Amino acid sequence: MTTATGAAFAVVGASAPGAAAERRGARERERAAAPGPERGPGPEGAPAPERAARAEGFRGMWVATVANRDWPSRPGLTAAAQRAELLAHLDRAVERRLNAVVLQVRPTADALWPSPYEPWAQCLTGTQGRDPGWDPLGTAVAEAHARGLELHAWFNPYRVANHADPERLAASHPARLHPDWTVPHGGKLYYNPGLPEVRRFVQDAMLDAVRRYDVDAVHWDDYFYPYPVEGETFDDADAHARYGADFPDRADWRRHNTDLLVSEAAARIKEVKPRVAFGISPFGVWRNAADDPEGSDTRAGVATYDDLYADTRKWIREGWIDHVVPQLYWHIGHPATDYATLLDWWETAVRGTGVALHIGEALYKAGAPDQPEAWQDPRELSRHLALAEGRPGVGGHCFFAAKEVTEDRNGALAAAVADHYPDRVRPPRRPDGS
């Protein structure tokens, strides 16, 4: 085993449950010394944010910036227009009685803050590397907190581009400076998770934002190794030959690489700012029961363990993450991936671990004409929240995504808010009590 691999093994060992308890304790001590959760007045001319007497559940909203999905509405807007759109999303979250915004700040290995590691994000100006003339992440943190919202910084670790042409990247982009770090796959470009220098770099790039800003959490989505592409194999044979000698099964080696990324990041977040939480939002199926008796009674075509090489259940058991937000993007009664079945599986997965469970909800499907009949019913989403209320291990929900929070095509979110969110509340306290 190489020195780099041996050192990485040591990090995994250090992140066992005892170390997780130490991490939670450190966060509790820092929060105890920091100002309390109550925020000051809102922006000029706006009322101070309402605050409930106690925490009562996570109510989040994703804001996707990749390909200008939610914000900015298009690239090249003026700084003032971008800022106005961002504040409108935050205001709408308040109107919907939400309490957290999960903002995508590193969509394609570029940044929504002045990063020394990566270029400015293309979604801002239309040209990767061009200064937008303001600090979107810094503004988002300040304005979210002024409204009584948490701001979770959402990073995608390995995606470099939604195309496979390095020449289209900014000249200063690390993927152009280190072409050996990348793997084209399915018409897109990814960093290679099998390279220790890549894992270290992507952690450094993300932790820069944690050091600079008062973010409440680091958030990762479901993209680790890329989703399978028919007829293609992710070409990491050279990295496996160099670093995977102890793993004759390449799938086990890939899962080990993802474990290293997660465990190392967890330890480094603690070192940088212990009060910052670490959450991951995986695809909703860990494994199907047909492949593992401990898997869910589902027949999903993709499973995180087998296809994305992400052992999400292990991260919960090891205490490497503070909360998990599985994407349960199916309706109740779905024949292959029933929402209720998966809700119960995930509640069992977190039981007794101290890891909080927030459910990712497919608001984008509500009222969409290409979705099954169940999603045409404005009460479907409210029924999801009602099911979760009967499971004490469920600590809240996160809605995908901001555009649909505003549009609310068939009134599904309005119905869910009316049924389940009568008042604004604080986000829940962390598992460590902070």
Side-chain angles (χ1 to χ4, degrees), residues 358-417:
H358 309 148
I359 304 300
E361 299 287 350
L363 178 61
Y364 73 97
K365 290 187 174 182
D370 60 341
Q371 293 300 320
E373 183 179 353
W375 287 107
Q376 309 310 315
D377 183 349
R379 314 303 301 184
E380 174 69 20
L381 187 63
S382 185
R383 284 193 286 269
H384 289 199
L385 273 60
L387 274 179
E389 285 176 354
R391 276 80 170 168
V394 179
H397 303 262
C398 196
F399 301 99
F400 192 88
K403 183 165 61 175
E404 287 76 19
V405 168
T406 294
E407 294 175 356
D408 197 16
R409 265 184 302 251
N410 67 347
L413 182 59
V417 169

Side-chain angles (χ1 to χ4, degrees), residues 7-329:
F9 263 118
V11 173
V12 173
S15 297
E22 178 186 349
R23 178 172 175 239
R24 287 191 288 268
R27 182 178 294 111
E28 183 174 8
R29 290 190 294 274
E30 183 170 327
R31 278 208 182 261
E38 297 296 330
R39 307 289 184 186
E44 184 177 355
E50 299 174 48
R51 284 304 207 168
R54 62 188 180 88
E56 239 182 70
F58 183 86
R59 305 174 183 178
M61 172 184 80
W62 276 289
V63 181
T65 59
V66 64
N68 298 91
R69 199 269 179 201
D70 293 318
W71 175 81
S73 60
R74 59 180 175 84
L77 295 175
T78 65
Q82 290 177 16
R83 185 178 187 277
E85 287 189 353
L86 176 63
L87 300 192
H89 282 303
L90 300 181
D91 288 340
R92 185 51 57 94
V94 171
E95 291 170 12
R96 299 296 194 184
R97 300 176 190 148
L98 306 182
N99 56 26
V101 170
V102 184
L103 175 64
Q104 190 175 34
V105 299
R106 186 180 183 267
T108 49
D110 48 15
L112 270 74
W113 74 97
S115 168
Y117 294 94
E118 295 175 312
W120 280 105
Q122 182 177 4
C123 64
L124 297 171
T125 64
T127 301
Q128 191 175 63
R130 179 179 293 171
D131 189 334
W134 67 303
D135 182 353
L137 177 53
T139 300
V141 170
E143 294 289 346
H145 288 173
R147 290 161 171 77
L149 298 164
E150 285 193 349
L151 196 289
H152 294 209
W154 166 16
F155 306 88
N156 185 284
Y158 291 132
R159 180 173 58 213
V160 174
N162 283 326
H163 58 77
D165 182 4
E167 296 300 313
R168 292 171 58 185
L169 302 173
S172 63
H173 198 293
R176 289 191 67 175
L177 302 177
H178 303 278
D180 54 310
W181 286 6
T182 64
V183 179
H185 182 72
K188 300 180 181 181
L189 198 62
Y190 299 90
Y191 282 130
N192 188 343
L195 300 178
E197 59 269 33
V198 163
R199 293 194 299 269
R200 184 72 183 188
F201 172 79
V202 297
Q203 292 170 36
D204 289 344
M206 293 183 284
L207 286 167
D208 179 67
V210 177
R211 289 187 178 93
R212 288 170 178 252
Y213 303 101
D214 185 24
V215 299
D216 296 284
V218 168
H219 180 93
W220 293 356
D221 56 24
D222 52 319
Y223 291 91
F224 294 97
Y225 280 84
Y227 277 82
V229 175
E230 186 175 359
E232 290 194 32
T233 300
F234 189 76
D235 186 9
D236 57 358
D238 289 346
H240 181 238
R242 290 170 60 191
Y243 299 108
D246 291 339
F247 295 89
D249 184 333
R250 198 182 301 186
D252 288 340
W253 173 71
R254 288 175 174 174
R255 278 186 287 272
H256 171 70
N257 294 332
T258 313
D259 285 349
L260 291 179
L261 178 75
V262 173
S263 61
E264 289 168 357
R268 295 185 70 190
I269 291 168
K270 173 201 166 186
E271 293 168 0
V272 171
K273 201 172 286 184
R275 65 183 175 78
V276 172
F278 182 26
I280 293 179
S281 178
F283 178 75
V285 176
W286 172 69
R287 300 196 83 188
N288 294 306
D291 299 310
D292 189 316
E294 295 187 9
S296 52
D297 184 15
T298 51
R299 298 182 303 282
V302 172
T304 62
Y305 182 96
D306 301 287
D307 299 296
L308 307 181
Y309 308 100
D311 191 352
T312 52
R313 190 183 64 163
K314 178 179 180 179
W315 309 340
I316 293 168
R317 291 182 168 185
E318 295 290 343
W320 294 337
I321 58 178
D322 296 294
H323 56 265
V324 64
V325 194
Q327 297 169 22
L328 304 193
Y329 289 174

Side-chain angles (χ1 to χ4, degrees), residues 420-434:
H420 304 283
Y421 297 166
D423 302 295
R424 287 202 71 201
V425 297
R426 294 180 306 181
R429 290 187 178 273
R430 307 268 161 72
D432 60 7
S434 61

